[in-house]
């Protein structure tokens, strides 16, 4: 038996497209908020464009990835902070805040009603199993994410010079899936691989921030905000 994060290899695994849909949502919805929502379109046309921009949320939820759903909540929070920073679109800010509240209520309800049949029998509601999220982070649970990260670091210490500088290659991560891109970059590429990964991410954030703060074009600002949030 081999655990993998794709439904093609493990039927109970999560869909690998959840994170892609999250990035797509961030770009589409930010472009909608900063550009198309503020145009003089009819409310029907705005509603149609809004539904199209938020449609990736369906895929984020049904992907079954609880980490992706938590990242979705964080993305909404960052979106709200960016909207608050510009102070140009109060209606858009309220829409994002409502989305955050809905997600938090859903997670709280998932914890309170953790024994509900509909929550445990349907994979469509897997991301709302809050109790299992907490259980997966419990270091006392041998199969938790925290235990896996600890296991990988202990293995790394066995060959510190080789591991910390160049990593142990992709085969190392196959022994225990990291479920963490930062740990995976560190495990597979050592400090060099992690540094390159962080450099790539920081470069994206810097250019997105410049586009958000320095552009006078609403569409560029929206796409920059989406890229920064994602």
């Amino acid at each position: 038996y081999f655990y993998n994060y794709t439904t093609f290899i493990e039927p109970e695994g999560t869909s690998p497209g959840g994170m892609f849909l999250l990035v797509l949502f961030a770009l589409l919805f930010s472009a909608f908020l900063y550009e198309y929502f503020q145009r003089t379109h009819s409310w029907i046309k705005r509603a149609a464009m809004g539904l199209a921009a938020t449609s990736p949320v369906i895929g984020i939820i049904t992907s079954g990835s609880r980490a992706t759903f938590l990242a979705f909540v964080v993305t909404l929070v960052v979106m709200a902070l960016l909207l608050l920073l510009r102070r140009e679109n109060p209606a858009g800010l309220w829409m994002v805040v409502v989305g955050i509240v809905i997600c938090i209520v859903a997670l709280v309800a998932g914890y309170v009603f953790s024994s509900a049949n509909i929550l445990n029998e349907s994979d469509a509601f897997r991301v709302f199993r809050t109790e299992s999220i907490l259980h997966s982070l419990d270091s006392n649970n041998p199969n938790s994410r925290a235990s896996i990260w600890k296991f990988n670091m202990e293995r790394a210490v066995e060959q510190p010079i080789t591991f910390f500088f160049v990593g142990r290659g992709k085969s190392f991560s196959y022994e225990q899936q990291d479920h963490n891109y930062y740990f995976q970059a560190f495990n597979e590429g050592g400090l060099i691989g992690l540094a390159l990964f962080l450099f790539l991410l920081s470069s994206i954030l810097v250019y997105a921030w410049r586009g958000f703060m320095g552009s006078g074009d609403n569409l560029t600002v929206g796409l920059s905000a989406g890229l920064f949030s994602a």
Side-chain angles (χ1 to χ4, degrees):
Y1 179 78
F2 176 71
Y3 178 85
N4 198 283
Y5 43 78
T6 70
T7 52
F8 298 103
I9 296 177
E10 184 193 8
E12 295 182 0
T14 59
S15 170
M19 197 60 72
F20 166 76
L21 290 172
L22 174 59
V23 176
L24 183 63
F25 161 78
L27 293 172
L28 290 177
F29 193 59
S30 292
F32 166 72
L33 289 177
Y34 287 91
E35 171 67 8
Y36 299 104
F37 182 72
Q38 301 191 70
R39 288 188 179 183
T40 57
H41 293 302
S42 66
W43 280 104
I44 295 178
K45 187 173 290 186
R46 291 187 198 183
M49 289 188 291
L51 288 174
T54 55
S55 61
V57 175
I58 299 174
I60 293 172
I61 294 174
T62 57
S63 71
S65 173
R66 289 156 290 187
T68 300
F69 184 74
L70 292 178
F72 169 65
V73 178
V74 173
T75 298
L76 289 178
V77 172
V78 175
M79 282 184 173
L81 293 176
L82 293 178
L83 285 165
L84 187 62
L85 182 63
R86 291 192 70 93
R87 299 177 182 275
E88 296 177 357
N89 190 353
L93 176 60
W94 275 111
M95 282 192 287
V96 176
V97 170
V98 168
I100 296 172
V101 172
I102 291 174
C103 290
I104 293 176
V105 169
L107 289 172
V108 172
Y111 181 79
V112 174
F113 303 102
S114 57
S115 60
N117 292 332
I118 188 174
L119 191 65
N120 296 299
E121 293 177 358
S122 175
D123 287 337
F125 298 102
R126 181 176 181 176
V127 297
F128 303 120
R129 298 172 188 171
T130 312
E131 191 171 289
S132 67
I133 297 176
L134 299 175
H135 185 64
S136 68
L137 296 174
D138 184 3
S139 59
N140 295 321
N141 172 19
N143 296 318
S144 69
R145 302 293 186 262
S147 297
I148 292 174
W149 299 335
K150 180 181 178 182
F151 168 81
N152 282 335
M153 293 308 298
E154 289 174 347
R155 292 295 302 273
V157 175
E158 294 176 4
Q159 296 179 334
I161 296 178
T162 301
F163 180 83
F164 282 105
F165 285 97
V166 296
R168 293 185 59 180
K170 200 167 183 64
S171 61
F172 176 72
S173 291
Y174 283 161
E175 298 176 18
Q176 281 271 33
Q177 286 289 345
D178 293 288
H179 301 279
N180 185 303
Y181 288 120
Y182 302 98
F183 269 101
Q184 185 168 342
F186 182 55
N187 286 338
E188 296 180 0
L191 289 176
I192 296 175
L194 179 61
L196 290 173
F197 181 62
L198 293 176
F199 174 75
L200 175 62
L201 287 181
S202 61
S203 298
I204 293 173
L205 290 174
V206 168
Y207 280 101
W209 181 256
R210 289 177 181 174
F212 176 74
M213 295 298 295
S215 178
D217 177 63
N218 286 338
L219 182 58
T220 302
V221 171
L223 292 175
S224 298
L227 186 59
F228 188 87
S229 302

